[in-house]
Amino acid sequence: MTAMRPDRTVPPAPGRARAFHFPPFLRHTLANGLEVLAARLDDVPLVSLELVTPGGGLYDPRGKEGLAALTAGVIDEGTRRRNALEIATFVERLGGSFGAGIDWDEGYLATGLLAEHLPAGLELIAEVATEPTFPEEEIERLRKQRLTEIVRRRQDPGLLAEDRLAAVLYEGTVYDHPLHGHPETVAALTRDDLVAFYRACYTLHGSRLIAVGDLDPEAILREAEARFSSLPPGPPPRPEINPEPLPGLQVYVVDRPGGAQTELRLGHVGVPRTDPDYIPMIVLNTLVGGKFTSRINLNLRERHAYTYGASTRLSPRLGPGPFVVDVAVATASTGAAAVETLGELRRIREELVEPHELEETVSYVRGVFPYTFQGASDLARRLETLAVYGLPNDYYERYLERLPAITREELLTVAQRRIHPDHMAVVAVGPAEALVPQLETLGPVTVLPVPG
Amino acid sequence: MSRSTPVDLGFQRHTLDNGLRVVLHRDPRLPLVTVNVWYHVGSKNEQPGRTGFAHLFEHMLFQGSEHVGTNDHFRLVQQVGGVANGSTWYDRTNYYETLPSHHLELGLWLEADRMGYLLPALTQQNLDTQRDVVMNERRQRIENMPYGMAGERLHELLYPPGHPYRWPVIGYMDDIAAATLEEVRTFFRTYYTPNNAVLSVVGDIDPDDAIVQVERWFGEIPAGPPKPPVVIPTAPLGGEQREVRPDDVRLPRIYLGFRGPAYGRRAWYAADLLTATLSGGKSSRLFQDLVYNRQIAQDVGAYISPYEAGATFMVVATARPGVAAEVLEQALIEHLDRAAGELPAPADLERARNRMLTEHFTALQKLETRADVFSQLTTYFDDPGGINREIEQYMDLDGRELRDFAAEFLVAGNRASLLFVPRESHP
């Protein structure tokens, strides 16, 4: 092989781009209200099945925080036909996995297994969804496990910071608690609570069966019709979440004497996933803190070396999830890191971004889209987003078209409307003695102990 | 039961004149390509007192090279919709860019530039910054994390001074702080040679075109001298090691570590299959007994890592509040003794094998995993085709081999126990 000596001084020109198209999928709402989304992906002999219900933390009643999580924890620990071990063994002996869980917007029952075992997966999902028995002894066992999980969480400085931030930003709304609840509320939950939550939130309307893999989508539709019709119609009425913005910067230090580093969060209430500003916010967030070459990471990591990495994130939820800056810093640099971060957030709402920054960011967000489609679970997650947020079938194509139409002026307007550096909660988990003097110039400081 | 047909991944392999081994695999499912480079150097190649070097060096490779500016590596990749990263481990360091496939040459250019033309970009200022970044990485991932010191301490208990698996990949804080620019340069010349590397290009490519491009970008990089050998002390552990460590945690946690067989040996696969019978899933033996029935553990897991000079087999469990660490430790040891004395139940073995099969297919869905497996098998065994055969190792094993592994390796004289306990209970 002989080759021409390459010109190394400039990046090589690209070849011809091959288009990416969102994979075809079936989407249909049955007469009984259950929505079905299914896609064939047959490159490997696997299937991924998921029943997504409204049973998420959003529906936790006041005083019963953690109910959605405990209900999901116990739902697969006993049915009219099988006990907890039999349920676990049924799919695991086939090499598959089965699990139930929640996030803010949904409760889910999910299984992943070899395609030849699809009927077993469907059978088990349907059985657990429609015939759970919530045995008392399983509730007690899971309750102890969840209470232990809360203890474990309090060892972790990053999680302590997250919990404090949510409590401050969302005080008085359902988003103010950790999804797994508080020790006192978890301790007080009863079997009746779980059964009532199950009946209210595991409903036909508002639920989706999502199936992706080496399967026939039409067959999934028929199975869905046959297997889930005994669920109650629903859906539950959705609570409103309208937290008051903070009047100014508020600083909270969770005292962890002897911590080797400080976990720092800055946050305020953001926009719901369905808000028209969400797409420009994706671009804005990526540019400010959502990629390695973002402004905040280049500033805090590459320019100042305060940290291993700094990032910002949106939290896609039905209600207004938080916008958060996330950074673990050398304790002595905490005040400086907070000041630099706030400076970057102010700058984004005072000046137009540079043309090349916008171009690079939009190109990144668009270009990386196909990368998020590797495998059945990736595609399932995209379909889930369409379903849970009620987005149209062509949403992602429109999203890819919308991105390059975003202008610098639009970003500035959105930043001024949606980024609030003077109304943030600043939470630092680390040694208070060292942190308070660094942070008290920002605003009033409240020092708290690690919860007991 | 019937078995799903294995996926047979085709590939081309080449060796350039400078010794660079190249694996090309066409996977046209998505318009993506991943450029994956493995250097056969890790923390194992460091010296006591100079630890953390391989990892610090990985950071320096993202600081530009002769034709790539300081922050331009990530910028150039991200602005076309690509992602990039690297990682360092005991035996190897890897790097990748996953790009829209028409940007394949961008990835090749970036990797070739830092393989062949790095030295002009190695500056004191970049080194100073990355030393601080890495010290913060160590604080974040190890020192400030509950049980974060476990891996480091367990290896110190399992391997004697001078053994290359004794020190942590990220290095000790003092060693990171002391790294000099001249050492970084020497490290580059010694280990970052084409003859010590494997390049896998996986994705929507035409392999016949790709090899021409690979040759163009990498072909003129000169081969380097052979690297210095690593001496692995062969003396056995020679007796149980045990440490109780009061720490800033609320739940006790037990780590049991054992020296194991080298990755690639049949006994290694037996060990891996044994971990799948012991843990993983609610119907596994350890979960059923310790988490579900006796409720003395919050979680439990068994693992073996693919180290090329002898793996570390590890069992980890977190205790429930009020359960003494020693009680859980004893329960874990009893399970391992049983694995050494009895054949695994046929149902456990079937579950473990099926689980391996599911995990195998799941992993192959991802382009970057395919590339990593090609590079790994080529780096350690010069055998990229192993990607299609490795799964058969698990299917062929029988219960006796799992028992024999446990009887040989999971014994007290080959064990290190590390017990994290809440500080207040051990003043």
Side-chain angles (χ1 to χ4, degrees):
Chain A
M1 254 171 302
T2 55
M4 219 171 55
R5 235 186 125 81
D7 176 7
R8 297 185 188 272
T9 60
V10 289
R16 238 178 64 185
R18 203 186 104 193
F20 169 76
H21 297 287
F22 196 95
F25 63 96
L26 174 154
R27 185 182 193 182
H28 182 74
T29 302
L30 304 178
N32 63 21
L34 178 67
E35 190 178 12
V36 178
L37 295 97
R40 185 197 305 270
L41 203 66
D42 57 7
D43 51 350
V44 294
L46 295 175
V47 289
S48 147
L49 291 173
E50 193 178 19
L51 183 74
V52 178
T53 75
L58 179 62
Y59 293 96
D60 271 350
R62 185 52 59 180
K64 297 187 191 296
E65 287 82 3
L67 177 56
L70 193 61
T71 304
V74 183
I75 197 169
D76 64 341
E77 299 291 344
T79 67
R80 278 184 234 150
R81 293 154 211 257
R82 277 177 255 252
N83 66 25
L85 177 59
E86 287 163 346
I87 292 170
T89 306
F90 185 66
V91 164
E92 288 178 5
R93 83 188 149 83
L94 306 174
S97 59
F98 188 90
I102 62 157
D103 64 20
W104 282 107
D105 298 324
E106 65 190 45
Y108 61 83
L109 300 169
T111 182
L113 64 188
L114 295 172
E116 64 195 271
H117 303 309
L118 172 66
L122 269 169
E123 180 185 336
L124 193 63
I125 281 203
E127 185 180 316
V128 169
T130 58
E131 302 179 359
T133 50
F134 297 101
E136 288 281 5
E137 68 274 18
E138 299 295 343
I139 295 174
E140 289 318 309
R141 192 176 59 75
L142 262 295
R143 188 200 312 277
K144 280 187 213 139
Q145 197 181 46
R146 295 307 160 94
L147 290 170
T148 305
E149 215 45 52
I150 294 174
V151 173
R152 188 218 295 265
R153 201 173 166 86
R154 290 174 174 180
Q155 301 177 160
D156 187 314
L159 297 176
L160 284 171
E162 296 294 328
D163 288 353
R164 176 46 45 194
L165 188 71
V168 173
L169 296 182
Y170 291 99
E171 193 182 345
T173 77
V174 71
Y175 285 170
D176 71 357
H177 72 277
L179 279 170
H180 51 76
H182 304 295
E184 58 283 5
T185 60
V186 173
L189 294 172
T190 66
R191 181 172 184 278
D192 286 349
D193 291 330
L194 270 66
V195 170
F197 187 88
Y198 163 71
R199 290 202 177 122
C201 292
Y202 287 69
T203 57
L204 287 164
H205 288 270
S207 289
R208 291 91 191 177
L209 181 71
I210 297 170
V212 176
D214 191 359
L215 50 77
D216 172 12
E218 294 290 341
I220 296 293
L221 202 57
R222 288 191 297 274
E223 293 283 350
E225 188 103 50
R227 290 182 184 272
F228 296 94
S229 53
S230 65
L231 288 173
R238 190 184 297 168
E240 288 293 310
I241 298 170
N242 294 310
E244 289 290 316
L246 299 184
L249 276 176
Q250 292 184 0
V251 182
Y252 294 83
V253 172
V254 179
D255 187 18
R256 204 165 164 271
Q261 205 182 29
T262 292
E263 287 285 350
L264 178 66
R265 303 284 181 279
L266 295 91
H268 60 65
V269 173
V271 294
R273 178 65 180 83
T274 50
D275 192 285
D277 278 350
Y278 197 83
I279 292 177
M281 276 301 286
I282 289 175
V283 173
L284 201 58
N285 177 67
T286 305
L287 192 155
V288 176
K291 59 184 168 114
F292 189 88
T293 51
S294 71
R295 286 184 175 186
I296 286 180
N297 193 55
L298 288 185
N299 182 333
L300 268 58
R301 170 178 158 135
E302 297 296 312
R303 195 176 317 145
H304 287 110
Y306 294 149
T307 177
Y308 175 52
S311 59
T312 60
R313 65 187 134 91
L314 307 173
S315 313
R317 295 186 195 171
L318 286 164
F323 170 75
V324 180
V325 184
D326 190 329
V327 53
V329 283
T331 297
S333 309
T334 307
V339 167
E340 290 295 329
T341 300
L342 290 167
E344 293 293 356
L345 297 180
R346 291 193 180 109
R347 185 157 73 96
I348 200 76
R349 39 190 334 260
E350 284 162 6
E351 300 164 15
L352 290 170
V353 301
E354 297 294 329
H356 76 88
E357 285 181 292
L358 176 62
E359 197 189 313
E360 285 173 17
T361 304
V362 166
S363 171
Y364 171 60
V365 174
R366 284 190 90 214
V368 87
F369 190 70
Y371 178 76
T372 61
F373 279 89
Q374 300 182 56
S377 58
D378 287 346
L379 180 54
R381 204 165 308 126
R382 292 289 181 181
L383 296 181
E384 193 181 312
T385 296
L386 294 183
V388 171
Y389 301 109
L391 304 171
N393 287 357
D394 64 351
Y395 174 79
Y396 285 111
E397 271 130 49
R398 285 203 230 160
Y399 164 76
L400 293 173
E401 287 163 17
R402 168 90 171 88
L403 288 169
I406 292 171
T407 63
R408 300 157 67 205
E409 290 74 16
E410 182 183 0
L411 277 194
L412 185 64
T413 313
V414 170
Q416 287 166 351
R417 192 159 57 224
R418 299 297 186 185
I419 306 281
H420 309 294
D422 296 315
H423 302 272
M424 297 187 97
V426 178
V427 177
V429 179
E433 202 183 6
L435 290 170
V436 172
Q438 296 182 59
L439 295 171
E440 59 195 0
T441 52
L442 299 177
V445 179
T446 307
V447 179
L448 301 160
V450 172
Chain B
M1 57 162 264
S2 70
R3 285 252 167 72
S4 299
T5 328
V7 179
D8 191 9
L9 303 182
F11 62 91
Q12 284 188 14
R13 63 162 306 169
H14 304 266
T15 303
L16 305 192
D17 290 344
N18 57 19
L20 178 67
R21 288 174 289 169
V22 182
V23 181
L24 306 165
H25 164 63
R26 179 166 181 272
D27 173 1
R29 293 173 300 163
L30 292 166
L32 297 174
V33 64
T34 190
V35 175
N36 174 296
V37 182
W38 277 46
Y39 292 94
H40 200 174
V41 57
S43 60
K44 185 179 72 185
N45 301 86
E46 297 162 356
Q47 296 300 316
R50 316 304 295 153
T51 65
F53 230 83
H55 171 258
L56 177 63
F57 194 82
E58 176 213 320
H59 277 245
M60 296 305 291
L61 249 70
F62 289 96
Q63 297 295 305
S65 44
E66 183 170 346
H67 308 101
V68 180
T70 301
N71 285 320
D72 282 356
H73 189 100
F74 278 107
R75 193 179 63 81
L76 289 165
V77 168
Q78 291 186 331
Q79 74 179 17
V80 301
V83 300
N85 213 338
S87 73
T88 309
W89 202 233
Y90 291 92
D91 304 307
R92 75 357 175 230
T93 311
N94 69 1
Y95 302 87
Y96 69 85
E97 292 75 38
T98 304
L99 302 153
S101 46
H102 60 296
H103 288 286
L104 164 62
E105 282 207 88
L106 174 65
L108 297 176
W109 172 70
L110 287 166
E111 291 299 348
D113 213 56
R114 58 187 178 182
M115 184 185 288
Y117 308 89
L118 184 79
L119 288 176
L122 287 178
T123 66
Q124 189 64 46
Q125 191 193 342
N126 285 346
L127 176 62
D128 290 345
T129 303
Q130 291 310 312
R131 261 194 327 228
D132 285 347
V133 168
V134 170
M135 286 195 272
N136 273 314
E137 180 179 0
R138 185 183 156 90
R139 290 185 192 105
Q140 182 178 337
R141 292 187 162 177
I142 295 180
E143 297 178 4
N144 206 36
M145 191 64 78
Y147 319 109
M149 294 293 289
E152 187 167 314
R153 274 309 292 154
L154 197 67
H155 281 78
E156 288 167 351
L157 292 171
L158 267 180
Y159 301 102
H163 193 292
Y165 290 156
R166 180 179 172 85
W167 52 87
V169 172
I170 199 165
Y172 296 113
M173 209 58 129
D174 291 348
D175 296 352
I176 301 168
T180 69
L181 197 58
E182 197 41 50
E183 287 174 300
V184 173
R185 292 197 179 110
T186 306
F187 195 86
F188 175 75
R189 291 192 195 100
T190 310
Y191 296 108
Y192 276 67
T193 59
N195 39 313
N196 194 38
V198 170
L199 166 68
S200 294
V201 182
V202 170
D204 184 21
I205 58 167
D206 176 339
D208 295 332
D209 291 345
I211 188 60
V212 175
Q213 294 169 326
V214 167
E215 174 71 41
R216 178 158 71 234
W217 292 107
F218 290 86
E220 60 185 10
I221 299 170
K227 65 183 172 186
V230 174
V231 179
I232 311 280
T234 52
L237 185 58
E240 183 186 356
Q241 309 291 311
R242 190 166 181 279
E243 179 175 300
V244 178
R245 185 184 172 91
D247 211 326
D248 189 15
V249 296
R250 300 198 184 178
L251 302 174
R253 185 184 274 184
I254 324 305
Y255 289 80
L256 301 182
F258 301 84
R259 293 196 198 171
Y263 172 51
R265 284 181 46 197
R266 193 166 170 92
W268 187 91
Y269 295 101
D272 200 23
L273 195 58
L274 180 65
T275 67
T277 70
L278 290 173
S279 77
K282 292 180 186 172
S283 60
S284 66
R285 273 189 264 166
L286 289 173
F287 186 94
Q288 267 301 310
D289 183 41
L290 305 177
V291 180
Y292 189 88
N293 285 330
R294 292 161 68 187
Q295 302 187 34
I296 58 176
Q298 179 73 356
D299 55 50
V300 60
Y303 317 90
I304 188 163
S305 325
Y307 301 172
E308 65 173 339
T312 302
F313 186 97
M314 203 159 66
V315 181
V316 185
T318 309
R320 287 285 174 87
V323 175
E326 291 75 10
V327 171
L328 188 52
E329 179 190 23
Q330 203 47 48
L332 291 173
I333 289 172
E334 280 163 18
H335 274 281
L336 298 181
D337 286 348
R338 195 180 318 160
E342 296 171 11
L343 294 177
D348 280 342
L349 204 54
E350 187 197 357
R351 179 175 53 78
R353 284 204 190 103
N354 284 335
R355 185 181 145 95
M356 289 296 178
L357 203 57
T358 310
E359 284 180 0
H360 168 69
F361 290 128
T362 304
L364 289 187
Q365 289 188 310
K366 211 164 155 56
L367 209 59
E368 286 155 5
T369 311
R370 289 189 185 192
D372 258 339
V373 174
F374 276 124
S375 290
Q376 170 164 303
L377 294 169
T378 308
T379 300
Y380 297 155
F381 312 125
D382 203 27
D383 180 23
I387 198 169
N388 296 318
R389 286 181 274 104
E390 206 171 23
I391 187 66
E392 291 304 325
Q393 301 259 19
Y394 297 101
M395 301 304 137
D396 289 347
L397 287 161
D398 70 29
R400 279 169 304 185
E401 291 171 279
L402 274 60
R403 184 196 59 193
D404 292 349
F405 159 77
E408 182 181 351
F409 290 93
L410 305 185
V411 294
N414 187 39
R415 180 173 74 225
S417 310
L418 176 61
L419 284 67
F420 281 79
V421 295
R423 211 187 291 279
E424 52 268 36
S425 69
H426 287 253

